[in-house]
């Protein structure tokens, strides 16, 4: 799919204030610092669109970006931010879970996972929660430039094995690197396929 136009639409913490024009949208979520904003910038070919930072907890709001005037990419705050206070966390949980469960135009959730890490409890909990709520999602393993292909294969296999303890099947899996640009086309093609049927 060709990205012709990209524009920031709105940021907020309130589902009611999200765009109401009914365009389909795709959300990016995962642990703080996993590379959600960087992946959005990679996909849109605009390094300055979503704010990135080496300090976890950069994205604090639900950010809508409108693509080709037809659909939205949504950058979400990360979970598992160590410095977040309890009240910040429960606030996060409330507004993100509200958004994920009630947003009717949400077509798919991209759950990002750090390709370097063994399966993390917090990610499995989030994935299982999406399963319970029957939310459509796929997995994207990020930062693959930081490991060899054999390490990547090993970590992917470990993750699949862990998931198959509770899941009957594995959802689509993507890999990405915002450094090399790997992963851009497969993710965009996936979005294009969904847009065709919605
Ligand atoms: P929060 O908004 O804090 O939840 O983080 P985020 O998930 O949006 O992560 P962000 O895109 O801000 O990236 C966090 C850090 O990881 C930044 O320093 C990025 O440059 C780096 N990073 C992101 N993706 C990659 C990648 O594919 N490879 C490498 N090497 N670094 C990456
Ligand atoms: Mg971010």
């Amino acid at each position: 799919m060709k990205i012709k136009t990209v524009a920031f639409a709105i940021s907020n913490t309130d589902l009611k204030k999200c765009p109401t024009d009914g365009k389909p949208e795709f959300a990016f979520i995962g642990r703080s610092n996993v590379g959600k904003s960087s992946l959005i910038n990679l996909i849109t070919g605009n390094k300055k669109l979503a704010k990135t930072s080496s300090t976890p907890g950069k994205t604090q709001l639900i950010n809508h970006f409108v693509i080709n005037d037809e659909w939205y990419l949504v950058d979400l705050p990360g979970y598992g931010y160590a410095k977040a206070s309890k009240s910040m966390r429960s606030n996060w949980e409330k507004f993100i879970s509200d958004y994920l469960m009630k947003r009717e135009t949400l077509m798919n959730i991209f759950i990002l996972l750090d390709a370097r890490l063994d399966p993390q409890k917090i990610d499995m909990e989030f994935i299982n929660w999406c399963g319970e709520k029957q939310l459509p999602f796929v997995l994207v393993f990020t930062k693959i430039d930081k490991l060899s292909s054999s390490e990547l294969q090993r970590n992917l296999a470990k993750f699949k094995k862990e998931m198959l303890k509770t899941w009957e099947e594995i959802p689509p899996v993507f890999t990405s690197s915002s450094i090399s640009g790997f992963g851009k086309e497969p993710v965009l093609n996936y979005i294009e396929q969904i847009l065709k049927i919605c």
Side-chain angles (χ1 to χ4, degrees), residues 33-38 52-53 57-59 143 145-146 177-178:
N33 212 240
V34 70
K36 300 172 291 295
S37 302
S38 301
T52 66
S53 166
K58 179 70 184 169
T59 310
K143 309 195 183 185
D145 52 279
K146 293 207 174 187
S177 164
S178 66

Side-chain angles (χ1 to χ4, degrees), residues 34-96:
V34 70
K36 300 172 291 295
S37 302
S38 301
L39 184 59
I40 286 180
N41 291 347
L42 171 69
I43 288 169
T44 56
N46 183 335
K47 285 206 165 93
K48 289 186 184 147
L49 186 70
K51 291 196 181 64
T52 66
S53 166
S54 54
T55 316
K58 179 70 184 169
T59 310
Q60 297 277 342
L61 302 168
I62 302 177
N63 300 290
H64 277 76
F65 302 100
V66 61
I67 316 298
N68 295 348
D69 220 14
E70 281 171 4
W71 51 279
Y72 292 108
L73 277 178
V74 183
D75 192 14
L76 295 169
Y79 50 76
Y81 173 40
K83 281 193 188 147
S85 64
K86 246 190 183 164
S87 68
M88 256 171 85
R89 254 181 243 166
S90 66
N91 194 21
W92 182 94
E93 278 173 20
K94 170 90 183 81
F95 93 83
I96 298 296

